[in-house]
Amino acid sequence: MGVVLNIENGKREPASIKDLIDLTAADMGRVNELILSKAGSDVEMIPEIANHLISSGGKRLRPMLTLAAAQMFGYAGEGHVKLATAVEFMHTATLLHDDVVDESGMRRGKKTARMIWGNQASVLVGDFLLGQAFRMMVDVGSLEALDILSSAASIIAEGEVMQLAAAKNLETTEDEHFAVIKAKTAALFSAAAEVGPVIAQATRNDRAALRSYGMNLGLAFQLIDDALDYGGTSKDLGKNVGDDFREGKVTLPVILAYRRGTKAERTFWKRAIEDNVTDDAGLEKATGLMTRHGAIADTIGRARHFGEIARDALAPLEATPQKSALIDVIDFCISRVN
């Protein structure tokens, strides 16, 4: 496509989540053991499909947020491991369901489960993982944590339906798009961050800080994904570059380029998105129009804005290694565009 997304000004150290990984390493070892245990079943296809996605190389960012947020407030029990595993199962279930809805062929460089085992099996195994997630939430015994995560599960499903209803609709507004990604992506980031201080019995203000941090981090994360689809790499995205375009998804770069375009350009967008004319030449033209109208750069700018809100949410909290690591996550998420 010939688009290089590099919007850093000045020299900075490369953003990394190494500190988060190091701080949560021991607990993540237990999470990974629990994942393998809870993904098991006498029904042979269930562990096959679950392990196909679980072992495909995701960073496990969401469960690490839960673990770090619990550690941050001195939690010393076992519940954070179960909640982190539940968060990862919820995420994995949504990926299985997403790939069916989006008719995706690849994820993280591998064939999607639906391409190997079919749509029905993918949906049902996603349901199994959600069931296992709720069992672990109940095991923890915190009604507040159960309320937060179960509410997130409901909101995520609403987000999926909202996205389906808005599919291929080029009149979608920026506010409407934010409502979708807030439900579909940011809600789980928010819940993952909030349940840590909840089980650590932190103050209401501390809980609100982590909830806001997670929500705004999730918005920033998704907007960077939206931008990367038109100029990133498969490694950064965890899927093929251009998939959003080929699937006719109306993401923020599309919304901005369509609204700012000429009448002829809007005709191109309607033909591409509404009539599904999404070949490689179309993708190259789409990327060129986005670059001309600043749609990708402005999408990244919106992501930076939400990243700063996430940073400010943590600002009043006591300085800890976990707080520093959570701030690093913001920079890491946004630095994926470099």
Side-chain angles (χ1 to χ4, degrees):
M1 290 320 110
V3 174
V4 177
L5 297 180
N6 188 346
I7 36 75
E8 284 291 351
N9 295 317
K11 297 285 186 182
R12 296 181 65 178
E13 288 295 313
S16 167
I17 56 169
K18 182 181 182 300
D19 287 350
L20 180 70
I21 292 169
D22 290 346
L23 285 167
T24 60
D27 286 339
M28 277 305 297
R30 291 149 70 201
V31 167
N32 289 331
E33 288 174 10
L34 195 55
I35 283 171
L36 292 174
S37 167
K38 296 296 184 181
S41 168
D42 292 336
V43 181
E44 189 175 322
M45 194 182 288
I46 289 175
E48 280 183 10
I49 295 176
N51 289 329
H52 173 78
L53 192 51
I54 288 165
S55 65
S56 64
K59 293 183 180 67
R60 305 244 165 101
L61 182 56
R62 293 157 189 81
M64 285 194 285
L65 294 182
T66 300
L67 297 173
Q71 291 175 6
M72 192 173 177
F73 298 99
Y75 181 72
E78 296 289 319
H80 65 321
V81 171
K82 290 180 179 177
L83 291 178
T85 307
V87 164
E88 183 63 11
F89 272 19
M90 288 173 67
H91 177 55
T92 304
T94 61
L95 295 184
L96 285 166
H97 291 163
D98 273 359
D99 287 342
V100 171
V101 172
D102 297 338
E103 299 181 346
S104 299
M106 298 288 286
R107 182 173 289 281
R108 296 172 186 157
K110 295 166 65 173
K111 282 186 177 180
T112 53
R114 64 174 286 273
M115 296 296 289
I116 302 171
W117 290 278
N119 287 338
Q120 296 95 328
S122 293
V123 169
L124 293 172
V125 172
D127 291 345
F128 170 82
L129 293 177
L130 281 175
Q132 292 292 73
F134 281 105
R135 288 176 68 180
M136 284 184 281
M137 293 175 213
V138 171
D139 284 347
V140 172
S142 167
L143 277 177
E144 285 183 284
L146 176 61
D147 180 47
I148 290 162
L149 287 170
S150 60
S151 294
S154 178
I155 291 167
I156 292 164
E158 287 178 340
E160 287 288 355
V161 176
M162 286 165 63
Q163 186 176 57
L164 198 60
K168 299 184 181 295
N169 178 12
L170 285 162
E171 301 305 324
T172 299
T173 66
E174 189 168 339
D175 284 343
E176 287 167 343
H177 181 62
F178 283 141
V180 170
I181 64 175
K182 187 175 182 179
K184 195 169 167 280
T185 302
L188 185 55
F189 274 90
S190 181
E194 186 181 4
V195 291
V198 164
I199 60 167
Q201 298 185 320
T203 68
R204 186 172 295 277
N205 286 343
D206 291 337
R207 287 175 47 179
L210 269 294
R211 180 170 64 246
S212 175
Y213 163 82
M215 180 63 71
N216 288 286
L217 174 67
L219 289 167
F221 184 93
Q222 185 58 55
L223 288 171
I224 293 298
D225 264 9
D226 287 356
L228 283 170
D229 198 71
Y230 291 93
T233 66
S234 296
K235 179 176 177 289
D236 289 322
L237 270 174
K239 61 180 183 177
N240 292 329
V241 173
D243 273 357
D244 286 351
F245 181 73
R246 295 183 191 95
E247 291 163 10
K249 285 187 178 176
V250 180
T251 59
L252 187 59
V254 175
I255 292 167
L256 296 179
Y258 176 76
R259 288 182 174 273
R260 295 170 181 177
T262 64
K263 184 176 180 181
E265 288 169 358
R266 284 195 289 273
T267 299
F268 160 77
W269 284 113
K270 286 180 178 178
R271 187 165 177 266
I273 301 297
E274 294 177 0
D275 300 337
N276 204 35
V277 182
T278 54
D279 54 15
D280 288 346
L283 177 57
E284 189 166 356
K285 180 170 182 179
T287 307
L289 291 176
M290 288 173 179
T291 304
R292 180 186 305 169
H293 293 295
I296 296 175
D298 285 351
T299 296
I300 296 164
R302 308 287 201 273
R304 287 190 178 283
H305 168 71
F306 288 115
E308 290 307 315
I309 297 174
R311 193 187 309 273
D312 286 341
L314 296 182
L317 303 182
E318 184 181 341
T320 64
Q322 289 80 12
K323 175 182 172 178
S324 177
L326 292 177
I327 290 170
D328 288 345
V329 174
I330 303 167
D331 294 328
F332 171 78
C333 285
I334 293 170
S335 74
R336 293 179 301 148
V337 295
N338 294 332

